[in-house]
PDB file of all heavy atoms in Angstrom:
ATOM      1  N   GLN A1207      90.269  69.944 151.589  1.00 97.00           N
ATOM      2  CA  GLN A1207      89.172  69.068 151.193  1.00 97.00           C
ATOM      3  C   GLN A1207      89.648  67.996 150.192  1.00 97.00           C
ATOM      4  O   GLN A1207      89.247  66.835 150.306  1.00 97.00           O
ATOM      5  CB  GLN A1207      88.043  69.909 150.569  1.00 97.00           C
ATOM      6  CG  GLN A1207      87.293  70.728 151.593  1.00 97.00           C
ATOM      7  CD  GLN A1207      86.232  71.617 150.937  1.00 97.00           C
ATOM      8  OE1 GLN A1207      86.237  71.818 149.707  1.00 97.00           O
ATOM      9  NE2 GLN A1207      85.352  72.183 151.739  1.00 97.00           N
ATOM     10  N   ALA A1208      90.460  68.398 149.245  1.00 98.00           N
ATOM     11  CA  ALA A1208      90.960  67.411 148.256  1.00 98.00           C
ATOM     12  C   ALA A1208      91.842  66.370 148.946  1.00 98.00           C
ATOM     13  O   ALA A1208      91.742  65.159 148.650  1.00 98.00           O
ATOM     14  CB  ALA A1208      91.732  68.129 147.161  1.00 98.00           C
ATOM     15  N   LEU A1209      92.696  66.801 149.861  1.00 98.00           N
ATOM     16  CA  LEU A1209      93.522  65.863 150.591  1.00 98.00           C
ATOM     17  C   LEU A1209      92.688  64.900 151.444  1.00 98.00           C
ATOM     18  O   LEU A1209      92.982  63.710 151.512  1.00 98.00           O
ATOM     19  CB  LEU A1209      94.538  66.613 151.474  1.00 98.00           C
ATOM     20  CG  LEU A1209      95.658  67.319 150.712  1.00 98.00           C
ATOM     21  CD1 LEU A1209      96.363  68.286 151.663  1.00 98.00           C
ATOM     22  CD2 LEU A1209      96.652  66.292 150.164  1.00 98.00           C
ATOM     23  N   GLU A1210      91.665  65.444 152.083  1.00 98.00           N
ATOM     24  CA  GLU A1210      90.793  64.589 152.904  1.00 98.00           C
ATOM     25  C   GLU A1210      90.091  63.533 152.052  1.00 98.00           C
ATOM     26  O   GLU A1210      89.940  62.393 152.470  1.00 98.00           O
ATOM     27  CB  GLU A1210      89.790  65.434 153.675  1.00 98.00           C
ATOM     28  CG  GLU A1210      90.452  66.209 154.822  1.00 98.00           C
ATOM     29  CD  GLU A1210      89.510  67.199 155.491  1.00 98.00           C
ATOM     30  OE1 GLU A1210      88.506  67.607 154.873  1.00 98.00           O
ATOM     31  OE2 GLU A1210      89.813  67.549 156.636  1.00 98.00           O
ATOM     32  N   ARG A1211      89.622  63.932 150.847  1.00 98.00           N
ATOM     33  CA  ARG A1211      88.984  62.969 149.952  1.00 98.00           C
ATOM     34  C   ARG A1211      89.971  61.900 149.535  1.00 98.00           C
ATOM     35  O   ARG A1211      89.633  60.708 149.510  1.00 98.00           O
ATOM     36  CB  ARG A1211      88.397  63.702 148.734  1.00 98.00           C
ATOM     37  CG  ARG A1211      87.126  64.448 149.003  1.00 98.00           C
ATOM     38  CD  ARG A1211      86.451  64.922 147.694  1.00 98.00           C
ATOM     39  NE  ARG A1211      87.311  65.783 146.895  1.00 98.00           N
ATOM     40  CZ  ARG A1211      87.374  67.106 147.034  1.00 98.00           C
ATOM     41  NH1 ARG A1211      86.634  67.719 147.897  1.00 98.00           N
ATOM     42  NH2 ARG A1211      88.191  67.804 146.232  1.00 98.00           N
ATOM     43  N   GLU A1212      91.169  62.317 149.182  1.00 98.00           N
ATOM     44  CA  GLU A1212      92.197  61.329 148.758  1.00 98.00           C
ATOM     45  C   GLU A1212      92.530  60.392 149.922  1.00 98.00           C
ATOM     46  O   GLU A1212      92.652  59.162 149.732  1.00 98.00           O
ATOM     47  CB  GLU A1212      93.460  62.077 148.298  1.00 98.00           C
ATOM     48  CG  GLU A1212      94.623  61.159 147.937  1.00 98.00           C
ATOM     49  CD  GLU A1212      94.368  60.250 146.739  1.00 98.00           C
ATOM     50  OE1 GLU A1212      93.333  60.374 146.062  1.00 98.00           O
ATOM     51  OE2 GLU A1212      95.240  59.395 146.481  1.00 98.00           O
ATOM     52  N   GLN A1213      92.641  60.926 151.081  1.00 98.00           N
ATOM     53  CA  GLN A1213      92.950  60.092 152.248  1.00 98.00           C
ATOM     54  C   GLN A1213      91.813  59.098 152.523  1.00 98.00           C
ATOM     55  O   GLN A1213      92.081  57.923 152.785  1.00 98.00           O
ATOM     56  CB  GLN A1213      93.149  60.999 153.460  1.00 98.00           C
ATOM     57  CG  GLN A1213      93.691  60.254 154.677  1.00 98.00           C
ATOM     58  CD  GLN A1213      93.980  61.219 155.805  1.00 98.00           C
ATOM     59  OE1 GLN A1213      93.142  62.069 156.137  1.00 98.00           O
ATOM     60  NE2 GLN A1213      95.148  61.091 156.433  1.00 98.00           N
ATOM     61  N   GLU A1214      90.568  59.552 152.423  1.00 97.00           N
ATOM     62  CA  GLU A1214      89.438  58.658 152.641  1.00 97.00           C
ATOM     63  C   GLU A1214      89.416  57.552 151.592  1.00 97.00           C
ATOM     64  O   GLU A1214      89.156  56.400 151.900  1.00 97.00           O
ATOM     65  CB  GLU A1214      88.133  59.470 152.592  1.00 97.00           C
ATOM     66  CG  GLU A1214      86.917  58.627 152.879  1.00 97.00           C
ATOM     67  CD  GLU A1214      85.622  59.434 152.882  1.00 97.00           C
ATOM     68  OE1 GLU A1214      85.684  60.662 152.744  1.00 97.00           O
ATOM     69  OE2 GLU A1214      84.546  58.830 153.035  1.00 97.00           O
ATOM     70  N   ARG A1215      89.721  57.909 150.333  1.00 97.00           N
ATOM     71  CA  ARG A1215      89.741  56.921 149.269  1.00 97.00           C
ATOM     72  C   ARG A1215      90.818  55.847 149.548  1.00 97.00           C
ATOM     73  O   ARG A1215      90.547  54.650 149.433  1.00 97.00           O
ATOM     74  CB  ARG A1215      90.060  57.604 147.931  1.00 97.00           C
ATOM     75  CG  ARG A1215      90.016  56.669 146.740  1.00 97.00           C
ATOM     76  CD  ARG A1215      90.516  57.364 145.474  1.00 97.00           C
ATOM     77  NE  ARG A1215      91.959  57.617 145.500  1.00 97.00           N
ATOM     78  CZ  ARG A1215      92.899  56.696 145.285  1.00 97.00           C
ATOM     79  NH1 ARG A1215      92.549  55.442 145.067  1.00 97.00           N
ATOM     80  NH2 ARG A1215      94.188  57.007 145.303  1.00 97.00           N
ATOM     81  N   LEU A1216      91.978  56.293 149.997  1.00 97.00           N
ATOM     82  CA  LEU A1216      93.045  55.347 150.302  1.00 97.00           C
ATOM     83  C   LEU A1216      92.707  54.465 151.487  1.00 97.00           C
ATOM     84  O   LEU A1216      92.952  53.237 151.460  1.00 97.00           O
ATOM     85  CB  LEU A1216      94.359  56.090 150.573  1.00 97.00           C
ATOM     86  CG  LEU A1216      95.024  56.738 149.358  1.00 97.00           C
ATOM     87  CD1 LEU A1216      96.165  57.648 149.811  1.00 97.00           C
ATOM     88  CD2 LEU A1216      95.520  55.695 148.389  1.00 97.00           C
ATOM     89  N   VAL A1217      92.147  55.014 152.521  1.00 96.00           N
ATOM     90  CA  VAL A1217      91.752  54.251 153.696  1.00 96.00           C
ATOM     91  C   VAL A1217      90.699  53.195 153.296  1.00 96.00           C
ATOM     92  O   VAL A1217      90.810  52.039 153.702  1.00 96.00           O
ATOM     93  CB  VAL A1217      91.240  55.161 154.821  1.00 96.00           C
ATOM     94  CG1 VAL A1217      90.542  54.356 155.904  1.00 96.00           C
ATOM     95  CG2 VAL A1217      92.370  55.992 155.399  1.00 96.00           C
ATOM     96  N   ASN A1218      89.723  53.600 152.507  1.00 96.00           N
ATOM     97  CA  ASN A1218      88.704  52.633 152.063  1.00 96.00           C
ATOM     98  C   ASN A1218      89.334  51.489 151.273  1.00 96.00           C
ATOM     99  O   ASN A1218      88.958  50.332 151.415  1.00 96.00           O
ATOM    100  CB  ASN A1218      87.612  53.331 151.262  1.00 96.00           C
ATOM    101  CG  ASN A1218      86.712  54.185 152.118  1.00 96.00           C
ATOM    102  OD1 ASN A1218      86.599  53.993 153.311  1.00 96.00           O
ATOM    103  ND2 ASN A1218      86.079  55.181 151.488  1.00 96.00           N
ATOM    104  N   LEU A1219      90.275  51.838 150.436  1.00 95.00           N
ATOM    105  CA  LEU A1219      90.981  50.830 149.606  1.00 95.00           C
ATOM    106  C   LEU A1219      91.796  49.898 150.506  1.00 95.00           C
ATOM    107  O   LEU A1219      91.739  48.660 150.341  1.00 95.00           O
ATOM    108  CB  LEU A1219      91.875  51.525 148.583  1.00 95.00           C
ATOM    109  CG  LEU A1219      92.507  50.630 147.520  1.00 95.00           C
ATOM    110  CD1 LEU A1219      91.459  49.844 146.765  1.00 95.00           C
ATOM    111  CD2 LEU A1219      93.317  51.488 146.566  1.00 95.00           C
ATOM    112  N   ILE A1220      92.472  50.457 151.481  1.00 95.00           N
ATOM    113  CA  ILE A1220      93.273  49.616 152.417  1.00 95.00           C
ATOM    114  C   ILE A1220      92.339  48.659 153.156  1.00 95.00           C
ATOM    115  O   ILE A1220      92.657  47.467 153.287  1.00 95.00           O
ATOM    116  CB  ILE A1220      94.036  50.518 153.408  1.00 95.00           C
ATOM    117  CG1 ILE A1220      95.145  51.281 152.679  1.00 95.00           C
ATOM    118  CG2 ILE A1220      94.579  49.720 154.562  1.00 95.00           C
ATOM    119  CD1 ILE A1220      95.738  52.444 153.479  1.00 95.00           C
ATOM    120  N   VAL A1221      91.209  49.167 153.631  1.00 95.00           N
ATOM    121  CA  VAL A1221      90.268  48.330 154.368  1.00 95.00           C
ATOM    122  C   VAL A1221      89.675  47.248 153.469  1.00 95.00           C
ATOM    123  O   VAL A1221      89.578  46.083 153.874  1.00 95.00           O
ATOM    124  CB  VAL A1221      89.154  49.209 154.984  1.00 95.00           C
ATOM    125  CG1 VAL A1221      88.016  48.339 155.532  1.00 95.00           C
ATOM    126  CG2 VAL A1221      89.715  50.097 156.078  1.00 95.00           C
ATOM    127  N   GLN A1222      89.326  47.623 152.257  1.00 94.00           N
ATOM    128  CA  GLN A1222      88.744  46.638 151.325  1.00 94.00           C
ATOM    129  C   GLN A1222      89.721  45.521 151.016  1.00 94.00           C
ATOM    130  O   GLN A1222      89.355  44.341 150.984  1.00 94.00           O
ATOM    131  CB  GLN A1222      88.323  47.308 150.018  1.00 94.00           C
ATOM    132  CG  GLN A1222      87.064  48.101 150.130  1.00 94.00           C
ATOM    133  CD  GLN A1222      86.749  48.818 148.820  1.00 94.00           C
ATOM    134  OE1 GLN A1222      87.602  48.965 147.940  1.00 94.00           O
ATOM    135  NE2 GLN A1222      85.505  49.290 148.699  1.00 94.00           N
ATOM    136  N   LEU A1223      90.950  45.876 150.776  1.00 92.00           N
ATOM    137  CA  LEU A1223      91.969  44.885 150.397  1.00 92.00           C
ATOM    138  C   LEU A1223      92.389  44.059 151.611  1.00 92.00           C
ATOM    139  O   LEU A1223      92.609  42.855 151.522  1.00 92.00           O
ATOM    140  CB  LEU A1223      93.153  45.517 149.721  1.00 92.00           C
ATOM    141  CG  LEU A1223      92.851  46.216 148.393  1.00 92.00           C
ATOM    142  CD1 LEU A1223      94.069  46.951 147.875  1.00 92.00           C
ATOM    143  CD2 LEU A1223      92.354  45.201 147.376  1.00 92.00           C
ATOM    144  N   GLY A1224      92.554  44.753 152.717  1.00 90.00           N
ATOM    145  CA  GLY A1224      92.811  44.088 153.995  1.00 90.00           C
ATOM    146  C   GLY A1224      94.068  43.231 154.048  1.00 90.00           C
ATOM    147  O   GLY A1224      94.199  42.392 154.933  1.00 90.00           O
ATOM    148  N   ASP A1225      94.998  43.420 153.140  1.00 90.00           N
ATOM    149  CA  ASP A1225      96.201  42.605 153.202  1.00 90.00           C
ATOM    150  C   ASP A1225      97.394  43.462 153.635  1.00 90.00           C
ATOM    151  O   ASP A1225      97.257  44.649 153.873  1.00 90.00           O
ATOM    152  CB  ASP A1225      96.475  41.932 151.838  1.00 90.00           C
ATOM    153  CG  ASP A1225      96.721  42.958 150.726  1.00 90.00           C
ATOM    154  OD1 ASP A1225      96.889  44.144 151.043  1.00 90.00           O
ATOM    155  OD2 ASP A1225      96.717  42.563 149.563  1.00 90.00           O
ATOM    156  N   ASP A1226      98.513  42.806 153.766  1.00 90.00           N
ATOM    157  CA  ASP A1226      99.726  43.527 154.187  1.00 90.00           C
ATOM    158  C   ASP A1226     100.713  43.589 153.021  1.00 90.00           C
ATOM    159  O   ASP A1226     101.905  43.390 153.212  1.00 90.00           O
ATOM    160  CB  ASP A1226     100.352  42.838 155.423  1.00 90.00           C
ATOM    161  CG  ASP A1226     101.412  43.723 156.053  1.00 90.00           C
ATOM    162  OD1 ASP A1226     101.261  44.954 156.071  1.00 90.00           O
ATOM    163  OD2 ASP A1226     102.432  43.157 156.521  1.00 90.00           O
ATOM    164  N   SER A1227     100.198  43.843 151.865  1.00 94.00           N
ATOM    165  CA  SER A1227     101.047  43.894 150.671  1.00 94.00           C
ATOM    166  C   SER A1227     101.882  45.163 150.685  1.00 94.00           C
ATOM    167  O   SER A1227     101.613  46.125 151.412  1.00 94.00           O
ATOM    168  CB  SER A1227     100.175  43.857 149.412  1.00 94.00           C
ATOM    169  OG  SER A1227      99.403  45.058 149.336  1.00 94.00           O
ATOM    170  N   GLN A1228     102.878  45.174 149.861  1.00 95.00           N
ATOM    171  CA  GLN A1228     103.723  46.348 149.707  1.00 95.00           C
ATOM    172  C   GLN A1228     102.879  47.549 149.260  1.00 95.00           C
ATOM    173  O   GLN A1228     103.073  48.656 149.765  1.00 95.00           O
ATOM    174  CB  GLN A1228     104.870  46.085 148.708  1.00 95.00           C
ATOM    175  CG  GLN A1228     105.771  47.271 148.462  1.00 95.00           C
ATOM    176  CD  GLN A1228     106.515  47.707 149.707  1.00 95.00           C
ATOM    177  OE1 GLN A1228     106.873  46.888 150.571  1.00 95.00           O
ATOM    178  NE2 GLN A1228     106.779  49.010 149.846  1.00 95.00           N
ATOM    179  N   ALA A1229     101.947  47.316 148.376  1.00 94.00           N
ATOM    180  CA  ALA A1229     101.103  48.390 147.878  1.00 94.00           C
ATOM    181  C   ALA A1229     100.283  48.997 149.033  1.00 94.00           C
ATOM    182  O   ALA A1229     100.148  50.213 149.126  1.00 94.00           O
ATOM    183  CB  ALA A1229     100.143  47.880 146.775  1.00 94.00           C
ATOM    184  N   ASN A1230      99.745  48.146 149.913  1.00 95.00           N
ATOM    185  CA  ASN A1230      98.980  48.671 151.041  1.00 95.00           C
ATOM    186  C   ASN A1230      99.874  49.387 152.041  1.00 95.00           C
ATOM    187  O   ASN A1230      99.448  50.380 152.636  1.00 95.00           O
ATOM    188  CB  ASN A1230      98.193  47.559 151.716  1.00 95.00           C
ATOM    189  CG  ASN A1230      96.722  47.577 151.321  1.00 95.00           C
ATOM    190  OD1 ASN A1230      96.295  48.459 150.587  1.00 95.00           O
ATOM    191  ND2 ASN A1230      95.958  46.622 151.847  1.00 95.00           N
ATOM    192  N   ARG A1231     101.097  48.925 152.209  1.00 95.00           N
ATOM    193  CA  ARG A1231     101.990  49.614 153.125  1.00 95.00           C
ATOM    194  C   ARG A1231     102.311  50.985 152.553  1.00 95.00           C
ATOM    195  O   ARG A1231     102.370  51.989 153.307  1.00 95.00           O
ATOM    196  CB  ARG A1231     103.282  48.784 153.322  1.00 95.00           C
ATOM    197  CG  ARG A1231     103.077  47.591 154.262  1.00 95.00           C
ATOM    198  CD  ARG A1231     104.383  46.972 154.677  1.00 95.00           C
ATOM    199  NE  ARG A1231     105.135  46.352 153.574  1.00 95.00           N
ATOM    200  CZ  ARG A1231     104.922  45.110 153.098  1.00 95.00           C
ATOM    201  NH1 ARG A1231     103.982  44.356 153.608  1.00 95.00           N
ATOM    202  NH2 ARG A1231     105.658  44.657 152.107  1.00 95.00           N
ATOM    203  N   GLU A1232     102.467  51.076 151.258  1.00 96.00           N
ATOM    204  CA  GLU A1232     102.682  52.368 150.615  1.00 96.00           C
ATOM    205  C   GLU A1232     101.482  53.280 150.754  1.00 96.00           C
ATOM    206  O   GLU A1232     101.615  54.476 150.961  1.00 96.00           O
ATOM    207  CB  GLU A1232     103.069  52.162 149.153  1.00 96.00           C
ATOM    208  CG  GLU A1232     104.472  51.580 148.971  1.00 96.00           C
ATOM    209  CD  GLU A1232     104.773  51.188 147.541  1.00 96.00           C
ATOM    210  OE1 GLU A1232     103.958  51.478 146.626  1.00 96.00           O
ATOM    211  OE2 GLU A1232     105.849  50.571 147.319  1.00 96.00           O
TER     212      GLU A1232
END
């Protein structure tokens, strides 16, 4: 459950930022 929450948070952040920065690749 904790991993799924973290994954969802990261995916939402990636989508919000929408760029191809190094941070998003990471």
Side-chain angles (χ1 to χ4, degrees):
Q1207 288 176 346
L1209 288 166
E1210 287 172 339
R1211 284 191 301 272
E1212 176 65 7
Q1213 190 176 46
E1214 183 178 357
R1215 184 189 71 76
L1216 289 170
V1217 167
N1218 288 337
L1219 189 55
I1220 291 166
V1221 169
Q1222 284 177 344
L1223 296 174
D1225 62 12
D1226 192 35
S1227 67
Q1228 179 63 32
N1230 258 357
R1231 285 192 294 276
E1232 289 172 6

